[in-house]
Amino acid sequence: MSEMCEKQVLLGMSADDIAKLPLCEGFRARQIYGHLMDGRTFDEMTSLPKELRAALSSKYVASPVEILRIFKGKSGTKKYLYRLLDGGLIEGVYMPHDYGDTLCISTQIGCRMGCKFCASGLDGLLRNLTPAEMLGEVICANRENGGTAKKRAVTNIVLMGSGEPFDNYDNVLAFLDAVSAEGGINISERNISLSTSGVAPKIRQFAMSGHKVTLSISLHAPFDALRSSLMPINKAYPIAEVISAARYYFEKTGRRVIFEYTLIKGENDSDACAKELARLTRGFPAHVNLIRLNEVKESALKTPEKDATEAFKNKLTEIGVSATIRRSLGGDIEGACGQLRRRYLEENGEGEGK
Ligand code: SAH
Ligand code: SF4
């Protein structure tokens, strides 16, 4: 572990907590907090005296995240490869939209859920990300796109990168508090979506937490045998439990639940699947988001033709299910999360931590 890692990281702390630290007392704390939220290094905090900036950088680390590579895709989409203090690598996608720009962030390095179609889980879980690291992803990308805390470039966040947010529950909730804090980058929870593979007890716990983000649940299959073969977590929390937790979430928060459904050719795109999916999501406000599989080279699973995707959507709509086909997220730039990191590691040797 490098010397850097032993220094205290300031990003992620509240201004009040920063004020308790040596060199940061009094009005300096708010100044430092403001600079951190804009994504500045200590060197760039020019409203502070030069000696103080030098003293701060010998004692503290401003942000635990830096952008290592940027890959540009179609229509303004960018994919970031970030490096963490211990050399760990994570990725994120920036997507401009008319209603505001969305950043997809990672919550873990790798993932232990092992879904068959996903590149993030191929090597299992390396470690959880800290609240500061998740916040660092947002702050770096906001700055890289010309934003500040007051004039944001990133206006929406989706927790849909690598990792299972509910497998890192406490840190994710602390991140939600930090990113939505007034006086900080202050992204409203109404503009944040969290996607889970269906950790039913955590969905229930989250429903009671008072957080107001949009909940997406990755369903991907309406039959237990099929879902278990694609998503091993289904053996622990089968479909009935996930749906019951989703209903509970709606009852407690009044917010409709989004079900994500990645279409995989010949696996989950039949009429029978559409019918059963409709049955499962009936009776409470829900929406189905259809995603075309981003093919991962380590897996034989294929994406259905565009026509088949449309047909599946039409079938759902006919039965009365609210459904849309999601625009591919950076499919032209190693879209599926986890792929970019893997490619970087392959090309540069297993370089993490070095
Ligand atoms: N672990 C959480 C959040 C991260 S994955 C979850 O599983 O929900 C975010 C979404 O991307 C999930 O719906 C996931 O199933 C989907 N996904 C993962 N790999 C994909 C791929 N290769 N093609 C299309 N969607 C994929
Ligand atoms: Fe983990 Fe989500 Fe990928 Fe499944 S789809 S392995 S839960 S990141």
Side-chain angles (χ1 to χ4, degrees), residues 116-137:
K116 288 286 178 304
F117 45 81
C118 178
S120 298
L122 286 170
D123 295 324
L125 175 67
L126 256 70
R127 70 171 172 85
N128 283 331
L129 295 183
T130 64
E133 287 169 333
M134 291 179 251
L135 184 62
E137 295 178 62

Side-chain angles (χ1 to χ4, degrees), residues 117-118 160-161 163-164 195-197 218 220 260 262 293-294 296 336:
F117 45 81
C118 178
M160 291 189 184
E164 166 49 51
S195 174
T196 176
S197 56
S218 298
H220 305 323
E260 286 160 280
T262 294
L293 178 77
N294 259 316
V296 173

Side-chain angles (χ1 to χ4, degrees), residues 68-82:
L68 181 65
R69 293 267 196 286
I70 304 175
F71 302 82
K72 294 196 170 147
K74 288 181 201 138
S75 46
T77 303
K78 290 182 207 173
K79 191 134 187 184
Y80 297 114
L81 189 65
Y82 304 98

Side-chain angles (χ1 to χ4, degrees), residues 107 111 113 115 117-120 159-165 194-198 216-220 231 260-262 291-296 326 336-337 339:
T107 56
C111 180
M113 299 304 168
C115 302
F117 45 81
C118 178
S120 298
L159 280 69
M160 291 189 184
S162 294
E164 166 49 51
L194 182 153
S195 174
T196 176
S197 56
S216 294
I217 300 180
S218 298
L219 202 58
H220 305 323
M231 304 177 71
E260 286 160 280
Y261 196 96
T262 294
I291 309 163
R292 298 184 67 238
L293 178 77
N294 259 316
E295 288 174 17
V296 173
R326 191 170 78 187
C337 262
Q339 283 177 282

Side-chain angles (χ1 to χ4, degrees), residues 57-288:
S57 51
S58 65
K59 201 166 172 59
Y60 304 111
V61 172
S63 167
V65 184
E66 63 175 5
I67 295 176
L68 181 65
R69 293 267 196 286
I70 304 175
F71 302 82
K72 294 196 170 147
K74 288 181 201 138
S75 46
T77 303
K78 290 182 207 173
K79 191 134 187 184
Y80 297 114
L81 189 65
Y82 304 98
R83 184 164 49 200
L84 308 174
L85 288 179
D86 65 357
L89 299 172
I90 50 173
E91 51 194 275
V93 190
Y94 184 82
M95 296 157 281
H97 296 295
D98 349 326
Y99 56 83
D101 295 353
T102 300
L103 184 71
C104 174
I105 69 156
S106 296
T107 56
Q108 297 182 310
I109 310 184
C111 180
R112 68 190 177 104
M113 299 304 168
C115 302
K116 288 286 178 304
F117 45 81
C118 178
S120 298
L122 286 170
D123 295 324
L125 175 67
L126 256 70
R127 70 171 172 85
N128 283 331
L129 295 183
T130 64
E133 287 169 333
M134 291 179 251
L135 184 62
E137 295 178 62
V138 178
I139 300 290
C140 278
N142 186 52
R143 177 181 169 152
E144 201 281 318
N145 287 286
T148 60
K150 293 223 159 52
K151 209 169 174 307
R152 291 181 294 260
V154 173
T155 55
N156 297 62
I157 300 173
V158 293
L159 280 69
M160 291 189 184
S162 294
E164 166 49 51
F166 285 165
D167 193 33
N168 186 14
Y169 187 86
D170 292 343
N171 286 350
V172 164
L173 266 66
F175 158 72
L176 293 176
D177 290 335
V179 82
S180 60
E182 275 178 38
I185 189 164
N186 193 5
I187 296 179
S188 155
E189 290 201 345
R190 275 179 290 117
N191 295 339
I192 303 178
S193 292
L194 182 153
S195 174
T196 176
S197 56
V199 188
K202 293 293 180 195
I203 294 175
R204 287 172 178 274
Q205 194 180 337
F206 191 59
M208 297 303 286
S209 72
H211 286 274
K212 297 265 179 290
V213 309
T214 302
L215 183 69
S216 294
I217 300 180
S218 298
L219 202 58
H220 305 323
F223 300 111
D224 274 320
L226 177 60
R227 190 166 190 267
S228 294
S229 76
L230 294 171
M231 304 177 71
I233 191 181
N234 193 65
K235 292 173 197 143
Y237 307 112
I239 293 170
E241 275 185 49
V242 175
I243 298 290
S244 153
R247 281 175 181 270
Y248 182 81
Y249 188 82
F250 167 70
E251 281 157 23
K252 293 290 164 206
T253 64
R255 309 209 52 186
R256 78 172 183 173
V257 174
I258 313 280
F259 289 101
E260 286 160 280
Y261 196 96
T262 294
L263 283 165
I264 307 170
K265 190 174 183 173
E267 295 276 336
N268 64 357
D269 56 352
S270 66
D271 276 5
C273 284
K275 273 189 198 139
E276 183 61 7
L277 181 57
R279 197 189 64 79
L280 290 171
T281 56
R282 196 168 288 152
F284 68 111
H287 177 82
V288 175

